[in-house]
Amino acid sequence: MTIQQVLLLLLLWMWLPHPCHTEMLFRRTPDLRLKSFGGRASGNDGKAIHRQKRGWMWNQFFLLEEYTGSDYQYVGKLHSDQDKGDGSLKYILSGDGAGTLFIIDEKTGDIHATRRIDREEKAFYTLRAQAINRRTLRPVEPESEFVIKIHDINDNEPTFPEEIYTASVPEMSVVGTSVVQVTATDADDPSYGNSARIIYSILQGQPYFSVEPETGIIRTALPNMNRENREQYQVVIQAKDMGGQMGGLSGTTTVNITLTDVNDNPPRFPQSTIHLRIPESSPVGTAIGSVKATDADTGKNAEVEYRIIDGDGTDMFDIVTQKDTQEGIITVRKPLDYESRRLYTLKVEAENTHVDPRFYYLGPFKDTTIVKISVEDVDEPPVFSRSSYLFEVHEDIELGTIIGTVMARDPDSASSPIRFSLDRHTDLDRIFNIHSGNGSIYTSKPLDREISQWHNLSVIAAEINNPKDTTRVPVYVRILDVNDNAPQFAVFYDTFVCENARAGQLIQTISAVDKDDPLGGQKFFFSLAAVNPNFTVQDNEDNTARILTRRNGFSRHEISTYLLPVVISDNDYPIQSSTGTLTIRVCACDSRGNMQSCSAEALLLPAGLSTGALVAILLCIIILLVIVVLFAALKRQRKKEPLILSKEDIRDNIVSYNDEGGGEEDTQAFDIGTLRNPAAIEDKKLRRDIIPETLFVPRRTPSAPDNTDVRDFINQRLKEHDTDPSAPPYDSLATYAYEGNDSIAESLSSLESGTTEGDQNYDYLREWGPRFNKLAEMYGGGESDKDTS
């Protein structure tokens, strides 16, 4: 320590107050009852001036912070001049911290601090003191305030608000460029000594950066610091109080400094020559490859723009800068042809788009490279001489006429022959065809402009050696008009003439239309096919004509309808004409010429049947069909009369029974023995279960010999039946049903009956209910008839 520092510390110690000797004296005025007394003085104006005199006399108390002793820290002493030392007075302390932080001896007036005091928490305390008589408890002195001020010591080191700072400065900056300012704070009293006087210094980061001692501003210390060499720096700054002198407290912080990029580096191609290849069949816009120049800078300082500045392929290729990758994409600008040129050379330049004028001295911020592009040969499809063809042809040309020729060639050096064909999807009606060898298109069907004016064809060209590789070309065929259609009436005219019409009266204005479309426009001429005594035609020369009467008066009773042939001609070549017939009805009209009634409808009708006639015919057909269906249904519902034959001739009979048979066990209902023994048919046996109704008298047939076979017998009877005029023209069928053993009425068959027909009693049938009344009547009636006979 130098002598100057020692003397400075000694002088500072002399000026510091010593609280251990602090004593507050309370002086009392001669008059005990008054807090103060007044003295007289005369002013300049001669008036008396009174001065009040306090009874308490003291100064401020001072107390050092951060006391480290074991006893209470002595603050000072309160004393009143009324205190005789006999303990009759009592000292009372009130205010900030009284009784807790500060205590007072009631007898002596000594004040002590009970704990350590931090000035940074509170710099001063305001208290009130009073002396009272211990016996009367009356104040002997008025209450007064005093202040205990805390003297600061250097117990707080400087602190930075941030533990780590982040800053940046452009690279290549000049010496002294400001980077960032750091500021530390000290909680000590800045107005007392040097406890809060801070000095900054740099502990780490030299020789690249420096710091201003008083302000804490960090500045660059070296020129032309290059980011490409080193980008990050860490600087440690120290803040020390006591003016940076020895014994002062200090704090540090770290500052991370980044050098930001500036455009101080030009782009550079890694290769002086770049080779690329591309097939000749690549379409326009195909990317061939990419070139890229490297730049040590970053961000927008590294952005590069590519361009083709020279070479023999400047018109064949383009280059596009890819912003995200900073590459130059070379693309095809025009179609390539291996047979025409096989190698192209380009000179490509890369240049920075954002150049800093401060660094022009570093040289041009661009670079060039040579790009060689080789075209590869491929088997190309045929190439047409045009991108599209347009042929015009008149619609009246003959079949097989050539309307045009398409031409294609093989672009390869082999020059293979070409085969042509038509895409039939574009010529569904097969109106045209093409010669496969020379590409001539000709007609195969007649043309009609009125049906289709344009035909859009697609011609396919393929190499004979490689038919899969094809090319298409559109061919547009326009059909030119020929005057091949005669004009006709524009609409159907319903014309009438009044009976009271006069000669020269207009009864109809007609016009015509023509499907043709001549270049000079439509022009029609109207005339009569022959001289007509009743009507005439007057051409208006505007493609319309007027129908006029030639005489006065018409009678619908004599002639109700007139037919007027009108000839319509055009003026194109060849001239076309047609004759249209007007049907003119004679009608009764009023005086104004308004039609009231006509004798007949117009005769000029369409060639076919009208809709009303077709509907009427259809209704008639439907009605006839309904009648036929009803007749058939009624005929089918008609009840047939049952036929019954004798038991002997069971083959030619239709017998109707209203009973239920016994099924296969009912052998008496149908005697199967007849087929086995043809002679049995001669015995006429009647059924015992019903009374059949015979619709006709059976014809007697001769008996068959005994040795006749059953098949011969059936054939003989069938022949007789076919030749018998009285036999019905259909076969007979007898059906039987058996009710079963569990039937209440049991079986109606007579198979199991042990009685004869005469012994059978059918009266019980009436007791079975109304369903058996018919049987009861049949069998009961049969017996009555028998008895009667």
Side-chain angles (χ1 to χ4, degrees):
M1 181 180 294
T2 60
I3 298 176
Q4 292 83 354
Q5 293 177 345
V6 173
L7 292 177
L8 181 62
L9 290 176
L10 181 59
L11 181 63
L12 178 63
W13 180 82
M14 292 176 62
W15 282 97
L16 289 176
H18 300 281
C20 58
H21 297 93
T22 302
E23 179 179 357
M24 299 299 177
L25 299 179
F26 298 90
R27 301 183 182 276
R28 188 177 182 278
T29 60
D31 188 359
L32 295 176
R33 295 172 297 178
L34 298 176
K35 294 181 180 180
S36 61
F37 65 92
R40 292 181 178 269
S42 60
N44 296 332
D45 55 358
K47 294 182 179 180
I49 299 176
H50 299 275
R51 182 177 62 85
Q52 294 182 349
K53 184 180 180 181
R54 293 182 56 86
W56 296 82
M57 302 295 294
W58 61 55
N59 295 321
Q60 291 181 343
F61 289 118
F62 293 93
L63 184 66
L64 286 176
E65 64 171 337
E66 302 296 340
Y67 173 71
T68 58
S70 59
D71 297 332
Y72 288 165
Q73 185 179 7
Y74 182 75
V75 178
K77 183 180 181 63
L78 298 179
H79 183 73
S80 175
D81 55 2
Q82 297 292 326
D83 188 357
K84 305 298 183 180
D86 55 0
S88 60
L89 295 183
K90 180 181 180 180
Y91 295 96
I92 299 174
L93 188 65
S94 62
D96 294 340
T100 56
L101 179 58
F102 300 103
I103 59 176
I104 190 171
D105 191 333
E106 296 179 351
K107 296 181 180 180
T108 62
D110 293 332
I111 302 175
H112 291 83
T114 60
R115 60 178 175 84
R116 293 173 58 184
I117 298 176
D118 189 358
R119 189 201 67 83
E120 285 70 37
E121 293 181 0
K122 192 167 184 177
F124 62 90
Y125 296 85
T126 302
L127 294 96
R128 293 181 298 278
Q130 190 176 29
I132 62 174
N133 189 293
R134 190 179 294 274
R135 288 177 299 175
T136 62
L137 300 179
R138 288 187 176 184
V140 296
E141 295 291 347
E143 185 182 56
S144 296
E145 287 185 351
F146 66 95
V147 176
I148 300 177
K149 188 174 181 180
I150 309 303
H151 272 183
D152 182 50
I153 63 173
N154 190 18
D155 60 341
N156 292 279
E157 70 276 3
T159 59
F160 291 92
E162 298 290 340
E163 203 172 306
I164 297 177
Y165 289 86
T166 301
S168 62
V169 62
E171 63 173 333
M172 307 299 289
S173 297
V174 297
V175 175
T177 301
S178 175
V179 180
V180 67
Q181 181 179 14
V182 293
T183 303
T185 57
D186 196 322
D188 293 328
D189 189 2
S191 62
Y192 183 76
N194 294 325
S195 299
R197 184 187 174 192
I198 299 174
I199 298 298
Y200 299 95
S201 61
I202 184 169
L203 302 181
Q204 177 183 329
Q206 295 175 334
Y208 307 103
F209 299 94
S210 63
V211 63
E212 292 183 358
E214 299 292 338
T215 61
I217 298 176
I218 301 175
R219 300 182 182 275
T220 57
L222 283 180
N224 300 328
M225 287 191 293
N226 198 338
R227 183 197 65 84
E228 288 72 33
N229 296 332
R230 183 178 178 181
E231 184 176 4
Q232 299 288 338
Y233 294 86
Q234 190 176 73
V235 178
V236 178
I237 301 298
Q238 181 190 65
K240 190 174 184 180
D241 59 11
M242 297 298 294
Q245 298 296 326
M246 184 178 296
L249 302 178
S250 64
T252 60
T253 187
T254 301
V255 182
N256 293 326
I257 301 175
T258 302
L259 295 183
T260 59
D261 185 59
V262 297
N263 192 6
D264 58 339
N265 295 281
R268 290 288 181 263
F269 283 105
Q271 297 174 344
S272 59
T273 303
I274 300 174
H275 295 274
L276 299 175
R277 294 180 178 272
I278 183 172
E280 63 172 334
S281 60
S282 300
V284 174
T286 302
I288 304 174
S290 62
V291 296
K292 185 174 183 179
T294 59
D295 194 323
D297 297 322
T298 61
K300 69 176 184 178
N301 297 319
E303 291 182 359
V304 177
E305 187 73 26
Y306 297 91
R307 64 178 64 90
I308 299 174
I309 60 176
D310 197 5
D312 54 10
T314 56
D315 59 336
M316 299 296 295
F317 303 96
D318 277 332
I319 188 167
V320 180
T321 302
Q322 198 77 18
K323 295 297 183 182
D324 53 347
T325 61
Q326 288 298 303
E327 293 179 334
I329 309 299
I330 300 176
T331 60
V332 179
R333 185 177 182 182
K334 291 182 179 181
L336 303 175
D337 188 5
Y338 173 82
E339 289 71 26
S340 300
R341 191 180 186 90
R342 303 181 183 183
L343 181 64
Y344 294 90
T345 301
L346 304 176
K347 187 175 183 180
V348 178
E349 179 186 74
E351 183 179 10
N352 283 137
T353 57
H354 301 87
V355 180
D356 193 338
R358 296 177 300 170
F359 304 106
Y360 279 156
Y361 67 91
L362 296 177
F365 286 82
K366 55 187 176 181
D367 194 16
T368 59
T369 187
I370 301 299
V371 179
K372 294 185 177 181
I373 301 175
S374 299
V375 180
E376 298 178 344
D377 187 27
V378 295
D379 189 6
E380 298 177 274
V383 177
F384 283 95
S385 60
R386 301 180 189 175
S387 59
S388 64
Y389 293 87
L390 173 63
F391 300 137
E392 293 183 346
V393 60
H394 288 88
E395 60 179 329
D396 61 344
I397 63 173
E398 297 180 358
L399 295 181
T401 302
I402 296 177
I403 64 173
T405 301
V406 296
M407 299 179 63
R409 63 177 181 85
D410 182 10
D412 298 323
S413 57
S415 187
S416 300
I418 307 299
R419 182 183 298 275
F420 298 93
S421 62
L422 275 177
D423 185 354
R424 288 303 175 186
H425 292 91
T426 61
D427 185 27
L428 297 177
D429 297 332
R430 296 182 176 270
I431 299 176
F432 302 95
N433 211 336
I434 189 171
H435 194 283
S436 61
N438 57 22
S440 298
I441 301 175
Y442 57 92
T443 60
S444 58
K445 288 184 180 181
L447 303 178
D448 191 349
R449 189 200 66 86
E450 287 70 36
I451 295 177
S452 178
Q453 186 176 358
W454 285 92
H455 296 273
N456 300 325
L457 308 178
S458 180
V459 176
I460 303 172
E463 296 180 12
I464 295 179
N465 298 332
N466 185 14
K468 294 183 179 179
D469 208 355
T470 62
T471 305
R472 293 172 177 263
V473 67
V475 177
Y476 307 105
V477 181
R478 180 183 180 185
I479 309 302
L480 301 179
D481 185 43
V482 173
N483 191 25
D484 57 348
N485 292 279
Q488 298 176 349
F489 283 131
V491 295
F492 171 75
Y493 295 101
D494 185 11
T495 308
F496 70 93
V497 62
C498 296
E499 289 182 313
N500 57 356
R502 297 182 178 274
Q505 183 174 341
L506 173 65
I507 62 173
Q508 184 69 60
T509 299
I510 59 176
S511 61
V513 292
D514 195 337
K515 295 181 180 179
D516 296 323
D517 187 16
L519 297 177
Q522 301 284 1
K523 180 63 177 176
F524 303 125
F525 303 96
F526 300 88
S527 62
L528 291 179
V531 178
N532 191 292
N534 302 310
F535 305 97
T536 184
V537 175
Q538 183 178 354
D539 196 338
N540 296 328
E541 297 183 356
D542 59 354
N543 293 339
T544 63
R546 298 187 297 170
I547 307 299
L548 304 175
T549 59
R550 297 189 64 181
R551 64 184 180 88
N552 297 328
F554 293 87
S555 176
R556 57 178 172 168
H557 299 290
E558 296 177 358
I559 300 177
S560 61
T561 303
Y562 292 91
L563 299 179
L564 182 64
V566 179
V567 179
I568 310 174
S569 305
D570 56 22
N571 67 337
D572 204 358
Y573 180 82
I575 296 176
Q576 300 288 340
S577 63
S578 66
T579 301
T581 302
L582 283 178
T583 301
I584 304 174
R585 296 177 298 161
V586 180
C587 301
C589 304
D590 57 12
S591 58
R592 297 182 178 180
N594 297 323
M595 180 182 64
Q596 293 181 343
S597 63
C598 297
S599 59
E601 296 293 333
L603 298 179
L604 187 58
L605 296 177
L609 294 175
S610 64
T611 304
L614 293 176
V615 172
I617 294 174
L618 183 60
L619 289 177
C620 291
I621 294 174
I622 293 174
I623 293 172
L624 289 176
L625 290 176
V626 171
I627 293 173
V628 171
V629 172
L630 291 177
F631 180 77
L634 292 175
K635 187 176 181 180
R636 181 171 295 182
Q637 294 294 331
R638 183 182 302 168
K639 185 177 181 181
K640 300 178 181 179
E641 295 294 335
L643 299 176
I644 186 169
L645 300 176
S646 65
K647 190 174 183 181
E648 300 174 354
D649 193 8
I650 60 174
R651 294 163 281 94
D652 302 329
N653 299 334
I654 296 179
V655 182
S656 176
Y657 296 95
N658 291 327
D659 67 320
E660 294 183 356
E664 295 179 355
E665 299 178 359
D666 190 358
T667 57
Q668 296 184 7
F670 184 84
D671 191 0
I672 195 65
T674 305
L675 295 177
R676 299 179 184 146
N677 186 11
I681 195 172
E682 303 300 329
D683 297 333
K684 296 180 180 180
K685 296 181 180 180
L686 298 177
R687 292 189 60 170
R688 298 171 301 188
D689 52 354
I690 64 171
I691 301 177
E693 297 179 359
T694 304
L695 299 180
F696 57 90
V697 178
R699 182 174 58 87
R700 172 66 64 176
T701 57
S703 60
D706 294 337
N707 58 355
T708 304
D709 186 73
V710 173
R711 177 177 296 178
D712 296 337
F713 172 76
I714 293 176
N715 291 332
Q716 181 182 356
R717 287 294 182 262
L718 180 60
K719 183 177 180 181
E720 292 175 357
H721 176 75
D722 292 338
T723 58
D724 187 3
S726 62
Y730 43 82
D731 296 334
S732 63
L733 178 64
T735 304
Y736 302 92
Y738 180 67
E739 218 173 43
N741 294 329
D742 295 334
S743 176
I744 299 176
E746 297 183 352
S747 177
L748 298 180
S749 176
S750 59
L751 294 176
E752 298 177 357
S753 177
T755 60
T756 61
E757 183 179 357
D759 298 336
Q760 184 72 25
N761 185 10
Y762 300 100
D763 293 338
Y764 61 87
L765 293 176
R766 301 183 183 277
E767 300 176 358
W768 288 356
R771 296 186 178 183
F772 298 92
N773 290 339
K774 185 65 176 177
L775 289 176
E777 293 176 0
M778 292 174 59
Y779 288 93
E783 294 178 356
S784 300
D785 296 340
K786 186 177 180 181
D787 295 339
T788 304
S789 59

Tab-separated table of all heavy atoms in Angstrom, residues 18-43:
chain	number	residue	atom	x	y	z
A	18	HIS	N	-18.098	8.416	15.758
A	18	HIS	CA	-17.886	7.271	16.649
A	18	HIS	C	-19.098	7.135	17.539
A	18	HIS	O	-19.298	7.894	18.468
A	18	HIS	CB	-16.624	7.506	17.507
A	18	HIS	CG	-15.389	7.680	16.656
A	18	HIS	ND1	-14.705	6.626	16.093
A	18	HIS	CD2	-14.725	8.816	16.271
A	18	HIS	CE1	-13.668	7.084	15.415
A	18	HIS	NE2	-13.655	8.424	15.506
A	19	PRO	N	-19.973	6.190	17.291
A	19	PRO	CA	-21.234	6.084	18.027
A	19	PRO	C	-21.046	5.738	19.486
A	19	PRO	O	-21.931	5.971	20.290
A	19	PRO	CB	-21.978	4.973	17.287
A	19	PRO	CG	-20.928	4.187	16.575
A	19	PRO	CD	-19.835	5.150	16.268
A	20	CYS	N	-19.930	5.176	19.839
A	20	CYS	CA	-19.761	4.827	21.250
A	20	CYS	C	-19.681	6.063	22.135
A	20	CYS	O	-19.864	5.984	23.338
A	20	CYS	CB	-18.526	3.952	21.438
A	20	CYS	SG	-17.011	4.713	20.851
A	21	HIS	N	-19.364	7.199	21.609
A	21	HIS	CA	-19.303	8.439	22.383
A	21	HIS	C	-20.511	9.313	22.169
A	21	HIS	O	-20.517	10.462	22.560
A	21	HIS	CB	-18.029	9.220	22.016
A	21	HIS	CG	-16.783	8.480	22.372
A	21	HIS	ND1	-16.107	7.648	21.490
A	21	HIS	CD2	-16.081	8.422	23.556
A	21	HIS	CE1	-15.046	7.123	22.084
A	21	HIS	NE2	-15.006	7.583	23.349
A	22	THR	N	-21.523	8.782	21.483
A	22	THR	CA	-22.698	9.603	21.204
A	22	THR	C	-23.512	9.767	22.464
A	22	THR	O	-23.850	8.797	23.146
A	22	THR	CB	-23.549	8.944	20.129
A	22	THR	OG1	-22.739	8.788	18.971
A	22	THR	CG2	-24.756	9.790	19.803
A	23	GLU	N	-23.870	11.021	22.748
A	23	GLU	CA	-24.698	11.292	23.929
A	23	GLU	C	-25.583	12.463	23.615
A	23	GLU	O	-25.129	13.491	23.140
A	23	GLU	CB	-23.824	11.619	25.130
A	23	GLU	CG	-24.650	11.927	26.380
A	23	GLU	CD	-23.776	12.227	27.605
A	23	GLU	OE1	-22.542	12.125	27.456
A	23	GLU	OE2	-24.324	12.549	28.648
A	24	MET	N	-26.899	12.275	23.855
A	24	MET	CA	-27.856	13.331	23.633
A	24	MET	C	-28.153	14.005	24.953
A	24	MET	O	-28.571	13.330	25.906
A	24	MET	CB	-29.152	12.759	23.043
A	24	MET	CG	-28.932	12.087	21.695
A	24	MET	SD	-28.310	13.236	20.480
A	24	MET	CE	-28.074	12.163	19.105
A	25	LEU	N	-27.899	15.297	25.045
A	25	LEU	CA	-28.145	16.042	26.268
A	25	LEU	C	-29.448	16.786	26.160
A	25	LEU	O	-29.681	17.468	25.165
A	25	LEU	CB	-26.997	17.037	26.504
A	25	LEU	CG	-25.609	16.400	26.679
A	25	LEU	CD1	-24.563	17.497	26.877
A	25	LEU	CD2	-25.615	15.448	27.872
A	26	PHE	N	-30.271	16.614	27.156
A	26	PHE	CA	-31.544	17.328	27.229
A	26	PHE	C	-31.362	18.456	28.215
A	26	PHE	O	-31.143	18.224	29.414
A	26	PHE	CB	-32.662	16.395	27.711
A	26	PHE	CG	-32.902	15.249	26.770
A	26	PHE	CD1	-32.204	14.061	26.930
A	26	PHE	CD2	-33.808	15.363	25.739
A	26	PHE	CE1	-32.414	13.034	26.071
A	26	PHE	CE2	-34.004	14.327	24.892
A	26	PHE	CZ	-33.319	13.156	25.035
A	27	ARG	N	-31.358	19.686	27.756
A	27	ARG	CA	-31.174	20.842	28.649
A	27	ARG	C	-32.527	21.454	28.904
A	27	ARG	O	-33.259	21.749	27.967
A	27	ARG	CB	-30.231	21.879	28.008
A	27	ARG	CG	-28.853	21.300	27.701
A	27	ARG	CD	-27.929	22.351	27.136
A	27	ARG	NE	-26.643	21.794	26.803
A	27	ARG	CZ	-25.649	21.634	27.683
A	27	ARG	NH1	-25.821	22.026	28.953
A	27	ARG	NH2	-24.496	21.113	27.312
A	28	ARG	N	-32.789	21.753	30.200
A	28	ARG	CA	-34.071	22.308	30.591
A	28	ARG	C	-33.943	23.807	30.749
A	28	ARG	O	-32.936	24.313	31.206
A	28	ARG	CB	-34.524	21.688	31.924
A	28	ARG	CG	-35.936	22.082	32.304
A	28	ARG	CD	-36.324	21.382	33.592
A	28	ARG	NE	-37.697	21.707	33.944
A	28	ARG	CZ	-38.066	22.810	34.577
A	28	ARG	NH1	-37.144	23.695	34.941
A	28	ARG	NH2	-39.340	23.034	34.864
A	29	THR	N	-34.972	24.500	30.405
A	29	THR	CA	-35.009	25.957	30.572
A	29	THR	C	-35.235	26.279	32.027
A	29	THR	O	-35.696	25.437	32.810
A	29	THR	CB	-36.142	26.541	29.729
A	29	THR	OG1	-37.365	25.968	30.169
A	29	THR	CG2	-35.929	26.198	28.273
A	30	PRO	N	-34.884	27.514	32.430
A	30	PRO	CA	-35.102	27.878	33.839
A	30	PRO	C	-36.528	27.710	34.261
A	30	PRO	O	-36.799	27.401	35.413
A	30	PRO	CB	-34.649	29.341	33.888
A	30	PRO	CG	-33.669	29.449	32.769
A	30	PRO	CD	-34.131	28.548	31.716
A	31	ASP	N	-37.492	27.888	33.382
A	31	ASP	CA	-38.896	27.714	33.727
A	31	ASP	C	-39.271	26.288	33.409
A	31	ASP	O	-39.348	25.865	32.250
A	31	ASP	CB	-39.750	28.700	32.924
A	31	ASP	CG	-41.201	28.671	33.415
A	31	ASP	OD1	-41.492	27.891	34.336
A	31	ASP	OD2	-42.014	29.412	32.811
A	32	LEU	N	-39.534	25.443	34.460
A	32	LEU	CA	-39.820	24.028	34.249
A	32	LEU	C	-41.151	23.826	33.563
A	32	LEU	O	-41.392	22.791	32.953
A	32	LEU	CB	-39.802	23.291	35.601
A	32	LEU	CG	-38.443	23.246	36.318
A	32	LEU	CD1	-38.610	22.567	37.679
A	32	LEU	CD2	-37.401	22.574	35.470
A	33	ARG	N	-42.033	24.671	33.589
A	33	ARG	CA	-43.366	24.459	33.041
A	33	ARG	C	-43.414	24.735	31.549
A	33	ARG	O	-44.383	24.442	30.898
A	33	ARG	CB	-44.370	25.365	33.754
A	33	ARG	CG	-44.538	25.036	35.238
A	33	ARG	CD	-45.379	26.078	35.921
A	33	ARG	NE	-44.735	27.395	35.876
A	33	ARG	CZ	-45.270	28.504	36.364
A	33	ARG	NH1	-46.477	28.475	36.899
A	33	ARG	NH2	-44.609	29.643	36.293
A	34	LEU	N	-42.414	25.332	31.021
A	34	LEU	CA	-42.446	25.704	29.618
A	34	LEU	C	-41.507	24.798	28.849
A	34	LEU	O	-40.430	24.425	29.327
A	34	LEU	CB	-42.017	27.166	29.437
A	34	LEU	CG	-42.908	28.213	30.124
A	34	LEU	CD1	-42.306	29.599	29.936
A	34	LEU	CD2	-44.332	28.137	29.589
A	35	LYS	N	-41.897	24.373	27.659
A	35	LYS	CA	-41.060	23.584	26.760
A	35	LYS	C	-39.971	24.459	26.172
A	35	LYS	O	-38.928	23.994	25.782
A	35	LYS	CB	-41.902	22.966	25.642
A	35	LYS	CG	-42.897	21.932	26.155
A	35	LYS	CD	-43.654	21.348	25.015
A	35	LYS	CE	-44.662	20.316	25.498
A	35	LYS	NZ	-45.416	19.726	24.396
A	36	SER	N	-40.280	25.793	26.083
A	36	SER	CA	-39.311	26.721	25.514
A	36	SER	C	-39.594	28.085	26.095
A	36	SER	O	-40.661	28.319	26.647
A	36	SER	CB	-39.415	26.739	23.993
A	36	SER	OG	-40.712	27.170	23.604
A	37	PHE	N	-38.638	28.917	26.001
A	37	PHE	CA	-38.862	30.266	26.475
A	37	PHE	C	-38.475	31.187	25.348
A	37	PHE	O	-37.706	30.839	24.436
A	37	PHE	CB	-38.042	30.545	27.757
A	37	PHE	CG	-36.566	30.513	27.551
A	37	PHE	CD1	-35.879	31.679	27.255
A	37	PHE	CD2	-35.861	29.322	27.633
A	37	PHE	CE1	-34.516	31.636	27.082
A	37	PHE	CE2	-34.504	29.314	27.457
A	37	PHE	CZ	-33.805	30.467	27.182
A	38	GLY	N	-38.952	32.441	25.474
A	38	GLY	CA	-38.693	33.396	24.417
A	38	GLY	C	-37.738	34.481	24.887
A	38	GLY	O	-37.717	34.878	26.041
A	39	GLY	N	-36.924	34.995	24.036
A	39	GLY	CA	-36.033	36.099	24.278
A	39	GLY	C	-36.425	37.272	23.424
A	39	GLY	O	-37.101	37.127	22.416
A	40	ARG	N	-36.125	38.440	23.817
A	40	ARG	CA	-36.510	39.615	23.060
A	40	ARG	C	-35.310	40.112	22.261
A	40	ARG	O	-34.198	40.149	22.739
A	40	ARG	CB	-36.978	40.722	23.994
A	40	ARG	CG	-38.293	40.379	24.697
A	40	ARG	CD	-38.728	41.531	25.587
A	40	ARG	NE	-40.007	41.207	26.223
A	40	ARG	CZ	-41.165	41.518	25.707
A	40	ARG	NH1	-41.226	42.143	24.555
A	40	ARG	NH2	-42.285	41.215	26.341
A	41	ALA	N	-35.640	40.615	21.142
A	41	ALA	CA	-34.647	41.286	20.297
A	41	ALA	C	-35.379	42.301	19.472
A	41	ALA	O	-36.609	42.245	19.311
A	41	ALA	CB	-33.927	40.277	19.431
A	42	SER	N	-34.713	43.245	19.028
A	42	SER	CA	-35.363	44.297	18.236
A	42	SER	C	-34.918	44.149	16.795
A	42	SER	O	-33.739	43.954	16.521
A	42	SER	CB	-35.020	45.682	18.774
A	42	SER	OG	-33.649	45.897	18.734
A	43	GLY	N	-35.884	44.252	15.964
A	43	GLY	CA	-35.572	44.182	14.543
A	43	GLY	C	-35.334	45.558	13.977
A	43	GLY	O	-35.307	46.552	14.690
